[in-house]
Amino acid sequence: MSLISSNDYRRHVIVLIIVTAQVLCYRSSFSYCEIQHPRSHLSRFDLVISPHHDYYPLTPEGKKQIPWFLHGWITPRQPPRRNVVLTLGALHQVDSDALRCAASAWHDELASLCKPLLVVNIGGPIRHCRYGADLAKQLTASLMNVISTCGSVRISFSRRTPKQVSEILVREFHNHPKVYIWDGQDPNPHMGHLAWADAFMITADSVSMLSEACSTGPVYVIGAERCTWKFAYFHKCLQERGMVRPFTGEENIAQTWTYPPLQDTREAAEHVIRALAERGWKLQP
């Protein structure tokens, strides 16, 4: 592996640790950098970057939810050590530079929209966060209640979004003058939405979408009460830090709030840079 040479070497390290789940470097200097809990002996790794909710099974609440005969398989082998970096959310590539580039790239399409701009990101049900048409109907009713406080609304679906969910929202909003629904064709407006939105409404199933949005703006969540296990713990942590609020349909989207943005990827990259430097790898500015 060659040394990193760039005016923004953090970005290269960020890309490195996101693209690879497990990075093998020179064995003599830096053995392994593992993303997420490896479910193995942590001493085998020079650096482990793991979301905090991966350690939920070690909490008293988590232990109660695991049958005793599964403890050795599900729970982390031991509490975090010095070589373990805990993040609150998922690692991603949304930082200030990426947002500036996206703001420029999407200026012509998004800058002129009426404010406040509410971006609605719909994911899909997962094992520990189940929903279907019932949540879509709840979301539709709540959006109808708050849309008068919005200047514009843009709705995007993910590849995991069930057809029964997307059809309900499309049927209700496809002719609404304030609402634009992305049809799934390129170019994907996701980065533009992150750069230009005044607020976000995101379904509770996606740790990645929530982590990205919490790095830039106020975030409302719908469906968190349907989540269990470590996903419920993740939402609890976000709420305790003032990053997200439940979407009830009684909000005034023009009234916002602030918080220190989530910068897990930047902080993780800094740990990787220090670990490399301790092993004699000099990163050129």
Side-chain angles (χ1 to χ4, degrees):
M1 180 179 292
S2 61
L3 295 182
I4 299 170
S5 177
S6 170
N7 291 331
D8 188 6
Y9 56 84
R10 282 191 178 86
R11 180 178 297 280
H12 287 264
V13 176
I14 289 171
V15 172
L16 171 68
I17 63 180
I18 292 176
V19 170
T20 58
Q22 193 177 67
V23 180
L24 174 61
C25 301
Y26 291 123
R27 288 184 178 275
S28 61
S29 58
F30 193 63
S31 296
Y32 282 99
C33 174
E34 171 68 17
I35 309 301
Q36 297 191 339
H37 198 289
R39 308 301 178 199
S40 181
H41 297 287
L42 301 184
S43 58
R44 296 174 179 172
F45 301 86
D46 292 295
L47 189 64
V48 175
I49 301 172
S50 173
H52 195 272
H53 56 263
D54 266 3
Y55 281 85
Y56 174 69
L58 288 180
T59 65
E61 297 81 4
K63 289 180 179 179
K64 293 178 183 178
Q65 299 178 42
I66 307 173
W68 64 269
F69 56 87
L70 293 179
H71 277 205
W73 178 62
I74 294 180
T75 61
R77 296 297 181 90
Q78 64 255 355
R81 295 183 177 180
R82 183 177 178 275
N83 65 322
V84 178
V85 176
L86 294 183
T87 65
L88 177 55
L91 301 184
H92 54 78
Q93 300 185 61
V94 180
D95 61 9
S96 57
D97 289 338
L99 291 173
R100 279 195 294 269
C101 290
S104 176
W106 288 90
H107 178 275
D108 292 346
E109 182 170 341
L110 302 180
S112 60
L113 295 179
C114 295
K115 297 289 188 175
L117 168 59
L118 174 66
V119 167
V120 180
N121 288 334
I122 313 297
I126 55 177
R127 179 183 177 187
H128 293 290
C129 195
R130 298 185 181 277
Y131 63 86
D134 54 342
L135 187 69
K137 293 176 181 177
Q138 177 187 342
L139 172 56
T140 297
S142 297
L143 276 177
M144 285 294 190
N145 287 341
V146 306
I147 205 165
S148 63
T149 70
C150 300
S152 308
V153 178
R154 290 177 68 96
I155 301 176
S156 294
F157 303 109
S158 76
R159 295 178 181 177
R160 295 187 296 105
T161 307
K163 190 174 182 180
Q164 61 175 338
V165 171
S166 59
E167 285 181 343
I168 290 174
L169 279 100
V170 170
R171 183 170 60 249
E172 294 295 332
F173 292 108
H174 75 284
N175 282 328
H176 198 288
K178 286 187 177 182
V179 180
Y180 168 85
I181 301 177
W182 181 50
D183 61 7
Q185 303 299 313
D186 288 334
N188 189 327
H190 180 62
M191 287 301 299
H193 287 171
L194 288 171
W196 284 99
D198 297 294
F200 299 88
M201 200 300 303
I202 300 176
T203 53
D205 55 275
S206 179
V207 173
S208 295
M209 286 196 300
L210 285 166
S211 300
E212 290 174 339
C214 284
S215 68
T216 177
V219 182
Y220 296 100
V221 180
I222 190 166
E225 71 283 355
R226 300 165 185 253
C227 295
T228 60
W229 190 230
K230 64 181 183 180
F231 294 92
Y233 183 67
F234 170 65
H235 288 288
K236 177 184 177 183
C237 292
L238 291 180
Q239 290 193 39
E240 288 176 347
R241 289 182 57 168
M243 294 182 170
V244 304
R245 296 179 181 179
F247 188 55
T248 65
E250 299 178 358
E251 291 79 11
N252 180 347
I253 302 303
Q255 295 178 352
T256 186
W257 75 96
T258 60
Y259 53 84
L262 196 59
Q263 299 184 20
D264 283 333
T265 308
R266 175 183 175 183
E267 293 168 4
E270 289 173 350
H271 280 281
V272 174
I273 291 169
R274 285 197 295 270
L276 293 174
E278 289 173 0
R279 289 158 176 78
W281 288 39
K282 295 182 179 180
L283 304 179
Q284 301 176 14

